[in-house]
Amino acid sequence: MLVVEAKLKNGTLEQYHRLDEAIKTSQFVRNSCVRYWMDHKGTTRNNLQKLCSVLANNKETPWVNKLNSQARQSAADRAWQSISKFYQNCHANIPEKKGFPRFKKHSRSVEYKLTGYKLSDDRRKVRFTDGFKAGEFDLWCSQKTLVYYSEQQIRRVRVVRRADGYYCQFLIDVERQEYHKPTGQITGIDLGLKEFYTDAQGNTVENPRYLRKSEKRLQKAQRRLSKKFRKGKKQSKNYHKQRVKVARLHLKVSRQRKDKAIKEALALVQSNDLVVYEALKVRNLVKNRKLAKSISDASWYQFTQWLNYFAKIYQIVCVAVPPHFTSQDCSVCGTRVQKTLSTRTHQCPNCQTVIDRDHNAAINILKKGLKYLGNHLNGTVGQTETDPNALGESDLWILNGDIENLSCLVEQGISDSDLERIPRHSVA
């Protein structure tokens, strides 16, 4: 599946207002399905689909009938998705909260399936044909246009409202595959806050810290917003204008993080045949109130998601390993050297190795990945202590049975290439 996003341009204020009404109606259908599930025990997905037609024919809610029937079904599917996720968490006995379905208060999208819209012949315009009659919009796409795909390949269309306008996302049924030229390189990466990541060869990528750089502008804009707020009264137009300005600043930071994650993940996949990374539990790490902002600003989870995605597209192996003791263990002799976060240099008292802390961790991560990969190829992955699945971490991607091409990488390891680059310091 491929998602092509285009901005909806050259529409009137009335047209955008009708899109807002469609989004609110989709939210109403979704919340009604959640309420129906709460009030009726044993509700199934089919019951929620039937509820859509009941709401459309109800005289008390005539606006629901304006929304396309398949868009109403999509809203019911969203409700059932949250319900089924709640059931899965309960059956899995996960700790703490189970994700009980909540009512949406500020929805920003409405989803159509195969009807409710019509594309022009040149794929540069879209017309929404449901009861709200939003009309025709121009499609502006910076990367790919829809002229390369037929209407039969478009499975879903979603209208999304953001701070800087309205966007249309097309879900296209096409299999994306890219050719990867073998490089013979393998690496492990250690994610950090000082550097975005450090690989097993000692190369580092700078952490851009987009939120930190935008904090002054954000603080100034948010102060102006708070001064315009009137408690218990209807907010003025100037308040809403300033609210949009603040939202655009946050949207810019979000897009900068995404762009950084995509470019770094793509470069890493294209230059290596095997990538090993540490499967961090970011949800638990951000509970540290002193480091939460910096961890969120680094966007580790988004980076690893794109890393896995490009690994599948380019058909290389991407391994996630548990991060336990990767910074403490010596990458040469395996001696465990306890160190705090402020200690940035690894000094082993046993083999006298002196190396950067993150570089040492990256080599340990690569070793863990090679060990896990060897056990996986030998069919003993469930018996190894480095199995990330036992800890609920990410899975291993091996595509098209490229085991023969990887056997040399596993046998070579890092003993011949990487360990020779580690500087040693003799105390004597």
Side-chain angles (χ1 to χ4, degrees), residues 228-240:
K228 291 178 173 60
F229 179 76
R230 298 294 179 264
K231 186 176 180 180
K233 298 180 181 180
K234 184 178 180 180
Q235 305 305 321
S236 63
K237 291 183 179 180
N238 289 332
Y239 170 84
H240 291 291

Side-chain angles (χ1 to χ4, degrees), residues 163-223:
D164 62 340
Y166 293 77
Y167 292 82
C168 195
Q169 296 176 343
F170 297 88
L171 181 63
I172 301 173
D173 186 8
V174 60
E175 184 177 359
R176 180 185 176 187
Q177 288 187 355
E178 300 287 347
Y179 172 73
H180 174 72
K181 183 179 180 180
T183 61
Q185 298 294 326
I186 59 176
T187 189
I189 58 173
D190 175 66
L191 303 174
L193 296 178
K194 181 181 178 182
E195 306 292 344
F196 186 69
Y197 74 79
T198 304
D199 61 16
Q201 288 74 32
N203 304 316
T204 60
V205 174
E206 181 185 2
N207 186 5
R209 297 180 176 87
Y210 294 117
L211 181 61
R212 297 287 185 181
K213 294 178 180 179
S214 303
E215 271 188 328
K216 288 186 178 180
R217 285 181 295 172
L218 277 169
Q219 290 174 358
K220 185 177 181 180
Q222 288 171 345
R223 280 198 303 268

Side-chain angles (χ1 to χ4, degrees), residues 269-280:
V269 167
Q270 289 179 338
S271 58
N272 293 278
D273 297 334
L274 171 66
V275 179
V276 186
Y277 68 93
E278 50 184 347
L280 298 173

Side-chain angles (χ1 to χ4, degrees), residues 22 25-27 29-30 33 45 48-53 56 64-79 109-118 128-132 151 154-159:
T25 305
S26 177
Q27 172 184 295
V29 174
R30 190 257 180 203
C33 292
R45 179 177 179 272
L48 299 184
Q49 295 292 330
K50 293 180 180 179
L51 180 63
C52 295
S53 60
V64 178
N65 194 31
K66 292 183 179 181
L67 188 64
N68 180 263
S69 60
Q70 293 187 358
R72 297 195 296 264
Q73 295 172 3
S74 297
D77 289 338
R78 290 190 189 183
S109 64
V110 57
E111 185 178 280
Y112 300 89
K113 293 184 180 179
L114 301 177
T115 60
Y117 66 93
K118 180 64 177 178
F128 296 98
T129 59
D130 59 352
F132 291 103
E151 291 189 9
I154 301 176
R155 312 307 302 172
R156 297 289 178 96
V157 173
R158 176 179 295 178
V159 179

Side-chain angles (χ1 to χ4, degrees), residues 6-193:
K7 190 170 185 179
L8 298 177
K9 301 190 70 175
N10 297 333
T12 62
L13 292 178
E14 179 64 23
Q15 287 180 284
Y16 293 125
H17 177 68
R18 292 178 180 179
L19 288 180
D20 286 333
E21 291 180 347
I23 292 173
K24 292 178 182 178
T25 305
S26 177
Q27 172 184 295
F28 173 79
V29 174
R30 190 257 180 203
N31 291 341
S32 299
C33 292
V34 173
R35 170 54 63 186
Y36 184 86
W37 169 76
M38 292 179 180
D39 297 338
H40 299 81
K41 186 177 181 181
T43 302
T44 63
R45 179 177 179 272
N46 191 31
N47 297 133
L48 299 184
Q49 295 292 330
K50 293 180 180 179
L51 180 63
C52 295
S53 60
V54 174
L55 293 173
N57 297 325
N58 191 352
K59 295 182 180 180
E60 297 180 357
T61 57
W63 64 88
V64 178
N65 194 31
K66 292 183 179 181
L67 188 64
N68 180 263
S69 60
Q70 293 187 358
R72 297 195 296 264
Q73 295 172 3
S74 297
D77 289 338
R78 290 190 189 183
W80 181 252
Q81 185 179 7
S82 62
I83 293 170
S84 59
K85 184 65 176 178
F86 169 69
Y87 285 151
Q88 292 176 7
N89 293 339
C90 292
H91 294 159
N93 292 325
I94 64 170
E96 299 180 357
K97 297 182 180 180
K98 305 298 188 296
F100 190 85
R102 296 182 179 180
F103 297 110
K104 288 288 185 180
K105 188 176 181 181
H106 300 290
S107 293
R108 296 181 178 88
S109 64
V110 57
E111 185 178 280
Y112 300 89
K113 293 184 180 179
L114 301 177
T115 60
Y117 66 93
K118 180 64 177 178
L119 284 171
S120 62
D121 295 335
D122 57 357
R123 304 289 193 279
R124 296 186 180 277
K125 294 183 179 181
V126 61
R127 176 182 293 274
F128 296 98
T129 59
D130 59 352
F132 291 103
K133 298 180 180 180
E136 191 175 65
F137 298 88
D138 291 338
L139 295 174
W140 183 82
C141 184
S142 60
Q143 296 179 348
K144 291 185 178 181
T145 58
L146 298 172
V147 294
Y148 302 107
Y149 312 105
S150 63
E151 291 189 9
Q152 289 74 20
Q153 290 179 293
I154 301 176
R155 312 307 302 172
R156 297 289 178 96
V157 173
R158 176 179 295 178
V159 179
V160 182
R161 182 182 65 237
R162 296 199 177 102
D164 62 340
Y166 293 77
Y167 292 82
C168 195
Q169 296 176 343
F170 297 88
L171 181 63
I172 301 173
D173 186 8
V174 60
E175 184 177 359
R176 180 185 176 187
Q177 288 187 355
E178 300 287 347
Y179 172 73
H180 174 72
K181 183 179 180 180
T183 61
Q185 298 294 326
I186 59 176
T187 189
I189 58 173
D190 175 66
L191 303 174
L193 296 178

